[in-house]
Every structure is written in structure tokens, then in C-alpha cells.
Amino acid sequence: FNNPATLLRTRTGRCGEWANCFTLLCRALGYEVRHISDWTDHVWVEVFLPSQDRWIHCDPCENSFDNPLLYEAGWGKKLTYVIGVSHDDIQDVTWRYTDRKNQAEVLSRRLLVPEDWLVSTIVRLRKLVQQNVIPARKQNLELRLVKELVEFMSPTKVASESELRGRISGALEWRQARHETGKDSRVEGFEWDVGGEE
């Protein structure tokens, strides 16, 4: 379902549906929200908090707030492209979600399009969505963009304990098949007997 009213009534959905629903709720409360699409198949949001003057990672499926390294450090995802889109901006936010020490490795996986093409396309799309934005707002967005780019070039903080946990949404078997159960992937209640007799 993509209709937030249906999601709230049925409480049934996956990451995309819950990101849409959470976006609606945040916007209803007056927050600016970005829809974040990870090309390795997950969706979440970022909320701009004026008190911190930055975009904050929020994953409603995972009950996660300000844990951007969750996917790489906790789930073991090999991220490639992570793109954020709001009503008046678009940005490649991959570098918020990856450790800077892994930058060369991440770049080696980004093979869908040349990097210069991606940058120029994002700039072109940003201009398109901002063509009717008032000058004061455009200036504010440009200042945010500069701050965000500086953030992306700054050293990554060490992953916190909450960023090292595995995925909590979805059936356990599904999470195990995807190898997204975290650094400590032991499963309680199971005993493995490899090559043993019955």
C-alpha cells in the first residue's frame, strides 16, 4: 500500500510504505523530509532538524534514529548509490552512510554510470526542482548543500553500538539469507550439527 491512511489502518507494509507514512507524519508536524533510496534495496528517510542544522537519518522500519552506519557496519551491506530526494532538493548522500575509510571500495562498486554524469545529472535535477523556489529559500538550500558536502568529506565517526546491530524487520530466515543479522549473527535456539549423524 502507498496510501498512508491504509498503512496506518492495516499496519502492513515494508520499508518503502513505512518511509512514505513516516514522511507524511513528519511533514504534518512541519519538518522537512527527504526520501532516501538505497540501490541495494532499502528505503528510509532523513529529517532536517533546525536545532542541529543537519539532516538526520531516520529508519521507521528499524526504529533507528541518527544511526547512518547501521546498514554498512551492522547489516554488512555493500552500498553503492544512496540518493535523497525532497520536494525541492536532490542529493547523493552515499557518503553519510559509508565509512570514509571504505570510500575507494564504495567507488569501485559504483559502476552503473560515470561519476561525472551522476554529479551533473543531480545538479541538473536540483536546478529543475528549484526553478520556482524563492531566492531566500534557494540561498538557504545552497548553504545547506555546502555544509553537507563538508560533512561528507569529514572523517566518519566510529560506529556506535546501535549501528552494529543487524536488521530487526522481516522474518529471521529472510534476514539470515540476506546476511543482515549483524556482527553477532548467532541465532538463539538453534543447534547446528555439520556432518553429524542423526
Coordinates of all heavy atoms in Angstrom, one line a residue, residues 101-188:
K101 N 36.8 5.5 5.3 CA 37.9 4.6 5.0 C 37.6 3.6 3.9 O 38.5 3.0 3.3 CB 38.3 3.8 6.3 CG 38.9 4.7 7.4 CD 39.3 3.9 8.6 CE 38.0 3.7 9.4 NZ 38.2 3.2 10.7
N102 N 36.3 3.4 3.6 CA 35.9 2.5 2.6 C 35.5 3.2 1.3 O 34.9 2.6 0.4 CB 34.6 1.7 3.1 CG 34.9 0.9 4.4 OD1 36.0 0.6 4.7 ND2 33.8 0.7 5.1
Q103 N 35.9 4.4 1.2 CA 35.5 5.2 0.0 C 35.9 4.6 -1.3 O 35.1 4.5 -2.3 CB 36.0 6.7 0.1 CG 35.4 7.5 -1.0 CD 35.8 9.0 -0.8 OE1 36.7 9.3 0.0 NE2 35.1 9.9 -1.5
A104 N 37.2 4.2 -1.4 CA 37.7 3.6 -2.6 C 36.9 2.3 -3.0 O 36.5 2.1 -4.1 CB 39.2 3.3 -2.5
E105 N 36.6 1.5 -2.0 CA 35.8 0.3 -2.2 C 34.4 0.6 -2.7 O 33.9 0.0 -3.6 CB 35.8 -0.5 -0.9 CG 35.0 -1.8 -1.0 CD 34.9 -2.5 0.4 OE1 35.8 -2.4 1.2 OE2 33.8 -3.2 0.5
V106 N 33.8 1.6 -2.0 CA 32.4 2.0 -2.5 C 32.5 2.5 -3.9 O 31.6 2.1 -4.7 CB 31.8 3.1 -1.5 CG1 30.5 3.6 -2.1 CG2 31.7 2.6 -0.1
L107 N 33.4 3.4 -4.2 CA 33.6 3.9 -5.6 C 33.8 2.7 -6.6 O 33.3 2.8 -7.7 CB 34.7 4.9 -5.7 CG 34.4 6.3 -5.1 CD1 35.7 7.1 -5.0 CD2 33.3 7.0 -5.9
S108 N 34.5 1.7 -6.2 CA 34.7 0.6 -7.1 C 33.4 -0.2 -7.5 O 33.4 -0.9 -8.5 CB 35.8 -0.4 -6.6 OG 35.2 -1.2 -5.5
R109 N 32.4 -0.1 -6.6 CA 31.1 -0.7 -6.8 C 30.2 0.1 -7.6 O 29.1 -0.3 -8.1 CB 30.5 -1.1 -5.5 CG 31.2 -2.2 -4.8 CD 30.4 -2.7 -3.6 NE 30.1 -1.8 -2.6 CZ 30.8 -1.6 -1.5 NH1 31.8 -2.3 -1.2 NH2 30.4 -0.7 -0.6
R110 N 30.4 1.4 -7.7 CA 29.5 2.4 -8.4 C 29.8 2.4 -9.9 O 30.5 3.3 -10.4 CB 29.7 3.8 -7.7 CG 29.2 3.8 -6.3 CD 29.6 5.1 -5.6 NE 29.2 6.3 -6.2 CZ 28.3 7.2 -5.8 NH1 27.6 6.9 -4.7 NH2 28.1 8.3 -6.4
L111 N 29.3 1.4 -10.6 CA 29.6 1.2 -12.0 C 28.5 1.4 -12.9 O 28.6 1.3 -14.1 CB 30.2 -0.2 -12.2 CG 31.4 -0.5 -11.3 CD1 31.8 -2.0 -11.5 CD2 32.6 0.4 -11.7
L112 N 27.3 1.8 -12.4 CA 26.1 2.0 -13.3 C 26.3 3.1 -14.2 O 25.9 3.0 -15.4 CB 24.9 2.2 -12.4 CG 24.4 1.0 -11.7 CD1 23.1 1.4 -10.8 CD2 24.0 -0.2 -12.6
V113 N 26.9 4.2 -13.7 CA 27.1 5.4 -14.6 C 28.4 6.0 -14.2 O 28.9 5.9 -13.0 CB 25.9 6.4 -14.4 CG1 24.6 5.9 -14.9 CG2 25.8 6.9 -13.0
P114 N 29.0 6.8 -15.1 CA 30.2 7.5 -14.7 C 29.9 8.6 -13.6 O 28.8 9.2 -13.6 CB 30.7 8.2 -15.9 CG 30.0 7.5 -17.0 CD 28.7 7.0 -16.5
E115 N 30.8 8.7 -12.6 CA 30.6 9.7 -11.5 C 30.3 11.1 -12.0 O 29.4 11.8 -11.4 CB 31.8 9.7 -10.6 CG 31.9 8.4 -9.7 CD 30.8 8.2 -8.8 OE1 30.3 9.2 -8.1 OE2 30.3 7.0 -8.7
D116 N 31.0 11.6 -13.0 CA 30.8 12.9 -13.5 C 29.4 13.1 -14.1 O 28.7 14.1 -14.0 CB 31.9 13.4 -14.5 CG 32.0 12.5 -15.7 OD1 31.5 11.3 -15.7 OD2 32.5 13.0 -16.7
W117 N 28.9 12.0 -14.7 CA 27.5 12.0 -15.3 C 26.5 12.1 -14.1 O 25.5 12.8 -14.2 CB 27.2 10.8 -16.1 CG 25.8 10.7 -16.7 CD1 25.4 11.2 -17.9 CD2 24.7 10.2 -16.0 NE1 24.1 11.1 -18.0 CE2 23.6 10.5 -16.9 CE3 24.4 9.6 -14.8 CZ2 22.3 10.1 -16.6 CZ3 23.1 9.2 -14.5 CH2 22.0 9.5 -15.4
L118 N 26.7 11.3 -13.0 CA 25.9 11.3 -11.9 C 25.8 12.7 -11.3 O 24.7 13.3 -11.0 CB 26.3 10.3 -10.8 CG 25.5 10.2 -9.6 CD1 24.0 9.8 -9.9 CD2 26.1 9.3 -8.6
V119 N 27.0 13.3 -11.0 CA 27.0 14.7 -10.4 C 26.3 15.7 -11.3 O 25.5 16.5 -10.8 CB 28.5 15.1 -10.2 CG1 28.5 16.6 -9.8 CG2 29.1 14.2 -9.1
S120 N 26.6 15.7 -12.6 CA 25.9 16.6 -13.5 C 24.4 16.4 -13.6 O 23.6 17.4 -13.7 CB 26.5 16.6 -14.9 OG 26.3 15.4 -15.5
T121 N 24.0 15.2 -13.5 CA 22.5 14.9 -13.6 C 21.9 15.3 -12.3 O 20.8 15.9 -12.3 CB 22.3 13.4 -13.8 OG1 22.9 13.0 -15.0 CG2 20.8 13.0 -13.8
I122 N 22.5 15.1 -11.1 CA 21.9 15.6 -9.9 C 21.8 17.1 -9.9 O 20.8 17.7 -9.5 CB 22.7 15.0 -8.7 CG1 22.4 13.6 -8.5 CG2 22.4 15.8 -7.4 CD1 23.2 12.8 -7.4
V123 N 22.9 17.8 -10.4 CA 22.9 19.3 -10.4 C 21.7 19.7 -11.3 O 21.0 20.6 -11.0 CB 24.2 19.8 -10.9 CG1 24.2 21.3 -11.2 CG2 25.3 19.5 -9.8
R124 N 21.6 19.1 -12.5 CA 20.5 19.4 -13.4 C 19.1 19.2 -12.8 O 18.3 20.1 -12.9 CB 20.7 18.6 -14.7 CG 19.7 19.0 -15.8 CD 19.9 18.2 -17.1 NE 20.2 16.8 -17.0 CZ 19.2 15.9 -16.8 NH1 18.0 16.2 -16.7 NH2 19.6 14.6 -16.7
L125 N 18.9 18.1 -12.1 CA 17.7 17.8 -11.5 C 17.4 18.8 -10.3 O 16.3 19.2 -10.1 CB 17.6 16.4 -11.0 CG 17.5 15.3 -12.1 CD1 17.7 13.9 -11.5 CD2 16.2 15.4 -12.9
R126 N 18.5 19.1 -9.6 CA 18.3 20.1 -8.5 C 17.8 21.4 -9.0 O 16.9 22.1 -8.5 CB 19.6 20.2 -7.7 CG 19.5 21.1 -6.5 CD 20.9 21.3 -5.8 NE 21.3 20.0 -5.2 CZ 22.5 19.5 -5.4 NH1 23.4 20.1 -6.2 NH2 22.8 18.3 -4.9
K127 N 18.4 21.9 -10.1 CA 18.0 23.1 -10.7 C 16.6 23.1 -11.2 O 15.8 24.0 -11.0 CB 18.9 23.5 -11.9 CG 20.3 24.0 -11.5 CD 21.1 24.3 -12.8 CE 22.5 24.7 -12.3 NZ 23.4 25.0 -13.5
L128 N 16.2 21.9 -11.7 CA 14.8 21.8 -12.2 C 13.8 21.9 -11.0 O 12.8 22.6 -11.1 CB 14.7 20.4 -12.9 CG 13.4 20.1 -13.6 CD1 13.1 21.1 -14.7 CD2 13.4 18.7 -14.1
V129 N 14.1 21.2 -9.9 CA 13.1 21.2 -8.8 C 13.2 22.5 -8.1 O 12.2 22.8 -7.3 CB 13.3 20.0 -7.8 CG1 13.1 18.7 -8.5 CG2 14.6 20.0 -7.1
Q130 N 14.2 23.3 -8.3 CA 14.3 24.6 -7.6 C 14.0 25.8 -8.4 O 14.2 26.9 -8.0 CB 15.8 24.7 -7.0 CG 16.0 23.8 -5.8 CD 17.4 23.9 -5.3 OE1 18.2 24.8 -5.7 NE2 17.8 23.0 -4.3
Q131 N 13.5 25.5 -9.7 CA 13.3 26.6 -10.6 C 12.2 27.6 -10.1 O 12.3 28.8 -10.4 CB 12.9 26.1 -12.0 CG 11.6 25.4 -12.1 CD 11.5 24.8 -13.5 OE1 12.3 25.0 -14.3 NE2 10.4 24.0 -13.6
N132 N 11.3 27.2 -9.2 CA 10.3 28.1 -8.7 C 10.5 28.4 -7.2 O 9.6 29.0 -6.6 CB 8.9 27.5 -8.9 CG 8.6 27.4 -10.4 OD1 8.9 28.3 -11.2 ND2 8.0 26.3 -10.8
V133 N 11.6 28.1 -6.7 CA 11.9 28.4 -5.3 C 12.3 29.8 -5.1 O 13.1 30.4 -6.0 CB 13.1 27.4 -4.8 CG1 13.5 27.8 -3.4 CG2 12.6 26.0 -4.9
I134 N 11.8 30.5 -4.1 CA 12.1 31.9 -3.9 C 13.6 32.0 -3.6 O 14.2 31.1 -3.0 CB 11.2 32.5 -2.8 CG1 11.5 31.8 -1.4 CG2 9.7 32.4 -3.2 CD1 10.8 32.5 -0.3
P135 N 14.2 33.2 -3.9 CA 15.6 33.4 -3.7 C 16.1 33.1 -2.3 O 17.2 32.5 -2.1 CB 15.8 34.8 -4.1 CG 14.7 35.1 -5.1 CD 13.6 34.3 -4.6
A136 N 15.4 33.5 -1.3 CA 15.9 33.3 0.1 C 16.0 31.8 0.4 O 16.9 31.4 1.0 CB 15.0 34.0 1.1
R137 N 15.0 31.1 0.0 CA 15.0 29.6 0.2 C 16.1 29.0 -0.6 O 16.8 28.1 -0.1 CB 13.6 29.0 -0.2 CG 13.6 27.5 -0.2 CD 13.6 26.9 1.1 NE 13.5 25.5 1.1 CZ 13.7 24.7 2.0 NH1 14.1 25.1 3.2 NH2 13.6 23.4 1.9
K138 N 16.3 29.4 -1.8 CA 17.4 28.9 -2.7 C 18.8 29.1 -2.0 O 19.6 28.2 -2.0 CB 17.4 29.5 -4.1 CG 18.3 28.7 -5.0 CD 18.2 29.3 -6.4 CE 17.0 28.6 -7.1 NZ 16.9 28.9 -8.6
Q139 N 18.9 30.3 -1.4 CA 20.2 30.6 -0.8 C 20.4 29.7 0.5 O 21.5 29.2 0.7 CB 20.2 32.1 -0.3 CG 21.5 32.5 0.3 CD 21.5 34.0 0.6 OE1 20.5 34.7 0.6 NE2 22.6 34.5 1.0
N140 N 19.3 29.5 1.2 CA 19.4 28.6 2.4 C 19.7 27.2 1.9 O 20.5 26.5 2.6 CB 18.0 28.6 3.1 CG 18.0 27.8 4.3 OD1 17.6 26.6 4.3 ND2 18.4 28.3 5.4
L141 N 19.1 26.7 0.8 CA 19.4 25.4 0.3 C 20.9 25.2 -0.1 O 21.5 24.2 0.1 CB 18.5 25.0 -0.8 CG 17.0 24.8 -0.4 CD1 16.2 24.6 -1.7 CD2 16.9 23.5 0.5
E142 N 21.4 26.3 -0.7 CA 22.8 26.3 -1.2 C 23.8 26.2 0.0 O 24.8 25.5 0.0 CB 23.1 27.5 -2.1 CG 22.4 27.4 -3.4 CD 22.5 28.7 -4.2 OE1 23.1 29.7 -3.7 OE2 22.1 28.7 -5.4
L143 N 23.4 27.0 1.1 CA 24.3 27.0 2.3 C 24.2 25.6 2.9 O 25.3 25.0 3.3 CB 23.8 28.0 3.3 CG 24.5 28.1 4.6 CD1 26.0 28.5 4.3 CD2 23.9 29.2 5.5
R144 N 23.1 24.9 3.0 CA 22.9 23.6 3.5 C 23.8 22.6 2.7 O 24.4 21.7 3.2 CB 21.5 23.1 3.4 CG 20.7 23.6 4.6 CD 19.4 22.8 4.5 NE 18.3 23.5 5.2 CZ 17.1 23.1 5.2 NH1 16.7 22.1 4.4 NH2 16.2 23.8 5.9
L145 N 23.7 22.8 1.3 CA 24.5 21.9 0.5 C 26.0 22.0 0.7 O 26.7 20.9 0.9 CB 24.2 22.3 -1.0 CG 25.0 21.5 -2.1 CD1 24.8 20.0 -2.0 CD2 24.7 22.1 -3.4
V146 N 26.5 23.2 0.9 CA 27.9 23.3 1.2 C 28.3 22.7 2.5 O 29.2 21.9 2.6 CB 28.3 24.8 1.2 CG1 29.7 25.0 1.8 CG2 28.2 25.4 -0.2
K147 N 27.4 22.9 3.6 CA 27.7 22.2 4.9 C 27.6 20.7 4.8 O 28.4 20.0 5.4 CB 26.6 22.7 5.9 CG 26.8 24.1 6.3 CD 25.8 24.5 7.4 CE 25.9 25.9 7.8 NZ 24.9 26.3 8.8
E148 N 26.7 20.2 4.0 CA 26.6 18.8 3.8 C 27.8 18.2 3.1 O 28.3 17.1 3.5 CB 25.3 18.5 3.1 CG 24.9 17.0 3.1 CD 23.5 16.7 2.6 OE1 23.0 17.4 1.7 OE2 22.9 15.9 3.3
L149 N 28.2 18.9 2.1 CA 29.4 18.4 1.3 C 30.7 18.4 2.2 O 31.5 17.4 2.2 CB 29.7 19.2 0.1 CG 28.6 19.1 -1.0 CD1 28.9 20.1 -2.1 CD2 28.5 17.7 -1.5
V150 N 30.8 19.4 3.1 CA 31.9 19.4 4.1 C 31.7 18.2 5.0 O 32.7 17.5 5.4 CB 31.9 20.7 4.9 CG1 32.9 20.6 6.1 CG2 32.3 21.8 3.9
E151 N 30.5 17.9 5.5 CA 30.2 16.8 6.3 C 30.7 15.5 5.7 O 31.3 14.6 6.3 CB 28.8 16.7 6.7 CG 28.4 15.4 7.5 CD 26.9 15.2 7.5 OE1 26.1 16.1 7.3 OE2 26.5 14.0 7.7
F152 N 30.4 15.3 4.4 CA 30.7 14.1 3.6 C 32.2 13.9 3.5 O 32.7 12.8 3.3 CB 30.1 14.1 2.2 CG 28.6 14.0 2.2 CD1 27.9 14.4 1.1 CD2 27.9 13.6 3.4 CE1 26.5 14.3 1.1 CE2 26.5 13.6 3.3 CZ 25.8 13.9 2.2
M153 N 33.0 15.0 3.5 CA 34.4 14.9 3.4 C 35.1 14.8 4.8 O 36.3 14.5 4.8 CB 35.0 16.2 2.7 CG 34.6 16.2 1.2 SD 35.3 17.6 0.3 CE 34.4 19.0 1.0
S154 N 34.4 15.0 5.9 CA 35.0 14.9 7.2 C 35.1 13.4 7.6 O 34.4 12.6 7.1 CB 34.1 15.6 8.2 OG 33.9 17.0 7.8
P155 N 36.1 13.2 8.5 CA 36.2 11.8 8.9 C 34.9 11.2 9.5 O 34.2 11.9 10.2 CB 37.3 11.8 10.0 CG 38.0 13.1 9.7 CD 37.0 14.1 9.1
T156 N 34.7 9.9 9.3 CA 33.5 9.3 9.8 C 33.7 9.0 11.3 O 34.8 8.6 11.7 CB 33.3 7.9 9.1 OG1 33.3 8.2 7.7 CG2 31.9 7.3 9.5
K157 N 32.6 9.2 12.1 CA 32.7 8.8 13.5 C 32.7 7.2 13.6 O 32.4 6.5 12.6 CB 31.5 9.3 14.2 CG 30.2 8.8 13.8 CD 29.0 9.4 14.6 CE 27.7 8.8 14.1 NZ 27.4 7.5 14.5
V158 N 33.2 6.7 14.7 CA 33.2 5.3 14.9 C 31.8 4.8 15.0 O 30.9 5.5 15.7 CB 34.0 5.0 16.2 CG1 34.0 3.5 16.5 CG2 35.5 5.4 16.0
A159 N 31.4 3.7 14.5 CA 30.1 3.1 14.5 C 29.7 2.9 16.0 O 30.5 2.3 16.8 CB 30.0 1.8 13.7
S160 N 28.5 3.3 16.4 CA 28.0 3.1 17.7 C 27.5 1.7 17.9 O 27.3 1.0 16.9 CB 26.9 4.1 18.0 OG 25.8 3.9 17.2
E161 N 27.2 1.3 19.1 CA 26.6 0.0 19.4 C 25.3 -0.2 18.7 O 25.1 -1.3 18.1 CB 26.4 -0.1 20.9 CG 26.1 -1.5 21.3 CD 27.2 -2.5 21.1 OE1 28.4 -2.2 21.2 OE2 26.9 -3.7 20.8
S162 N 24.5 0.9 18.6 CA 23.2 0.7 17.9 C 23.4 0.6 16.4 O 22.5 0.1 15.7 CB 22.3 1.9 18.3 OG 22.9 3.1 17.9
E163 N 24.5 1.0 15.9 CA 24.8 0.9 14.4 C 25.4 -0.5 14.1 O 25.4 -0.8 12.9 CB 25.7 2.0 13.9 CG 25.0 3.4 13.9 CD 26.0 4.5 13.6 OE1 27.1 4.6 14.3 OE2 25.7 5.3 12.8
L164 N 25.8 -1.2 15.1 CA 26.4 -2.5 14.8 C 25.3 -3.7 14.8 O 25.7 -4.8 14.5 CB 27.5 -2.8 15.8 CG 28.7 -1.9 15.7 CD1 29.7 -2.2 16.8 CD2 29.4 -2.0 14.3
R165 N 24.1 -3.3 15.2 CA 23.1 -4.4 15.3 C 22.6 -4.7 13.9 O 22.7 -3.9 13.0 CB 22.0 -4.0 16.2 CG 21.1 -2.9 15.6 CD 19.8 -2.7 16.5 NE 19.1 -1.5 16.2 CZ 18.2 -1.4 15.2 NH1 18.0 -2.5 14.4 NH2 17.6 -0.3 14.9
G166 N 22.1 -5.9 13.7 CA 21.5 -6.4 12.5 C 20.1 -5.8 12.2 O 19.6 -5.2 13.1
R167 N 19.6 -6.2 11.1 CA 18.2 -5.8 10.7 C 17.3 -6.4 11.7 O 17.5 -7.6 12.1 CB 18.0 -6.3 9.3 CG 16.6 -5.9 8.8 CD 16.2 -6.6 7.5 NE 16.9 -6.1 6.3 CZ 16.4 -5.3 5.4 NH1 15.1 -4.9 5.6 NH2 17.0 -4.9 4.4
I168 N 16.2 -5.7 12.1 CA 15.2 -6.2 13.0 C 13.9 -6.5 12.3 O 13.1 -7.2 12.8 CB 15.0 -5.3 14.3 CG1 14.5 -4.0 13.9 CG2 16.3 -5.2 15.1 CD1 14.1 -3.1 15.0
S169 N 13.7 -5.9 11.1 CA 12.4 -6.1 10.4 C 12.6 -7.3 9.5 O 13.6 -7.6 9.0 CB 12.0 -4.8 9.7 OG 13.0 -4.5 8.7
G170 N 11.5 -8.0 9.3 CA 11.4 -9.1 8.4 C 11.6 -10.4 9.1 O 12.1 -10.4 10.3
A171 N 11.2 -11.5 8.5 CA 11.4 -12.8 9.1 C 12.9 -13.2 9.3 O 13.7 -12.8 8.5 CB 10.7 -13.9 8.2
L172 N 13.1 -13.9 10.4 CA 14.5 -14.2 10.7 C 15.2 -15.0 9.6 O 16.3 -14.7 9.2 CB 14.6 -15.1 12.0 CG 15.9 -15.6 12.4 CD1 16.9 -14.4 12.7 CD2 15.8 -16.5 13.6
E173 N 14.5 -15.9 9.0 CA 15.1 -16.7 7.9 C 15.5 -15.8 6.7 O 16.5 -16.0 6.1 CB 14.1 -17.8 7.4 CG 13.8 -18.9 8.4 CD 12.7 -18.4 9.5 OE1 12.0 -17.4 9.2 OE2 12.6 -19.1 10.5
W174 N 14.6 -14.8 6.4 CA 14.9 -13.9 5.3 C 16.1 -13.0 5.7 O 17.0 -12.8 4.8 CB 13.6 -13.0 5.1 CG 13.7 -12.0 4.1 CD1 13.7 -12.1 2.7 CD2 13.9 -10.6 4.3 NE1 13.8 -10.9 2.1 CE2 13.9 -9.9 3.0 CE3 14.0 -9.8 5.4 CZ2 14.1 -8.6 2.9 CZ3 14.1 -8.4 5.3 CH2 14.2 -7.8 4.0
R175 N 16.2 -12.5 6.9 CA 17.3 -11.7 7.3 C 18.6 -12.6 7.2 O 19.7 -12.1 6.8 CB 17.1 -11.2 8.7 CG 16.1 -10.1 8.7 CD 15.9 -9.5 10.1 NE 15.0 -10.4 10.9 CZ 15.2 -10.7 12.2 NH1 16.2 -10.0 12.9 NH2 14.4 -11.5 12.9
Q176 N 18.5 -13.8 7.7 CA 19.7 -14.7 7.6 C 20.1 -15.0 6.2 O 21.3 -14.9 5.9 CB 19.4 -16.0 8.3 CG 19.4 -15.9 9.8 CD 19.0 -17.2 10.5 OE1 18.1 -17.9 10.0 NE2 19.6 -17.5 11.6
A177 N 19.2 -15.2 5.3 CA 19.5 -15.5 3.9 C 20.2 -14.2 3.3 O 21.0 -14.4 2.4 CB 18.2 -15.8 3.1
R178 N 19.9 -13.1 3.7 CA 20.5 -11.8 3.2 C 21.8 -11.5 4.0 O 22.4 -10.5 3.7 CB 19.5 -10.7 3.3 CG 18.2 -10.9 2.5 CD 17.1 -9.9 2.8 NE 17.6 -8.5 2.7 CZ 17.5 -7.8 1.6 NH1 17.0 -8.3 0.5 NH2 17.9 -6.5 1.6
H179 N 22.1 -12.2 5.0 CA 23.3 -12.0 5.8 C 23.2 -10.6 6.5 O 24.2 -9.9 6.5 CB 24.6 -12.1 5.0 CG 24.7 -13.4 4.3 ND1 24.9 -14.6 5.0 CD2 24.5 -13.7 3.0 CE1 25.0 -15.6 4.1 NE2 24.7 -15.1 2.9
E180 N 22.0 -10.2 7.0 CA 21.8 -8.9 7.6 C 21.4 -9.0 9.0 O 20.7 -8.2 9.6 CB 20.7 -8.1 6.8 CG 21.2 -7.8 5.4 CD 20.1 -7.1 4.6 OE1 19.0 -7.0 5.0 OE2 20.5 -6.6 3.5
T181 N 21.9 -10.0 9.7 CA 21.6 -10.2 11.1 C 22.6 -9.6 12.0 O 22.5 -9.7 13.3 CB 21.5 -11.7 11.5 OG1 22.7 -12.4 11.0 CG2 20.3 -12.3 10.8
G182 N 23.6 -8.9 11.5 CA 24.5 -8.1 12.3 C 25.8 -8.8 12.5 O 26.0 -10.0 12.1
K183 N 26.7 -8.1 13.2 CA 28.1 -8.7 13.5 C 28.0 -9.9 14.4 O 28.7 -10.9 14.2 CB 28.9 -7.6 14.2 CG 29.2 -6.4 13.4 CD 30.1 -6.7 12.3 CE 30.4 -5.5 11.5 NZ 31.0 -5.8 10.2
D184 N 27.0 -10.0 15.3 CA 26.8 -11.1 16.1 C 25.6 -11.9 15.5 O 24.5 -11.7 15.9 CB 26.5 -10.8 17.6 CG 26.4 -12.0 18.5 OD1 26.6 -13.1 18.0 OD2 26.0 -11.8 19.6
S185 N 25.9 -12.8 14.6 CA 24.8 -13.4 13.9 C 24.4 -14.8 14.5 O 23.8 -15.6 13.8 CB 25.2 -13.6 12.4 OG 26.4 -14.4 12.3
R186 N 24.8 -15.0 15.7 CA 24.3 -16.3 16.4 C 22.8 -16.3 16.5 O 22.2 -15.2 16.8 CB 25.0 -16.4 17.8 CG 26.5 -16.6 17.7 CD 27.0 -16.6 19.1 NE 26.8 -15.2 19.6 CZ 26.9 -14.8 20.8 NH1 27.1 -15.7 21.8 NH2 26.8 -13.6 21.2
V187 N 22.2 -17.4 16.3 CA 20.8 -17.5 16.4 C 20.4 -18.3 17.6 O 20.8 -19.5 17.7 CB 20.2 -18.1 15.1 CG1 18.7 -18.3 15.3 CG2 20.6 -17.4 13.9
E188 N 19.7 -17.7 18.6 CA 19.3 -18.4 19.8 C 18.4 -19.5 19.5 O 17.5 -19.4 18.6 CB 18.7 -17.4 20.8 CG 19.6 -16.3 21.2 CD 20.8 -16.8 22.0 OE1 20.7 -17.8 22.7 OE2 21.9 -16.2 21.8

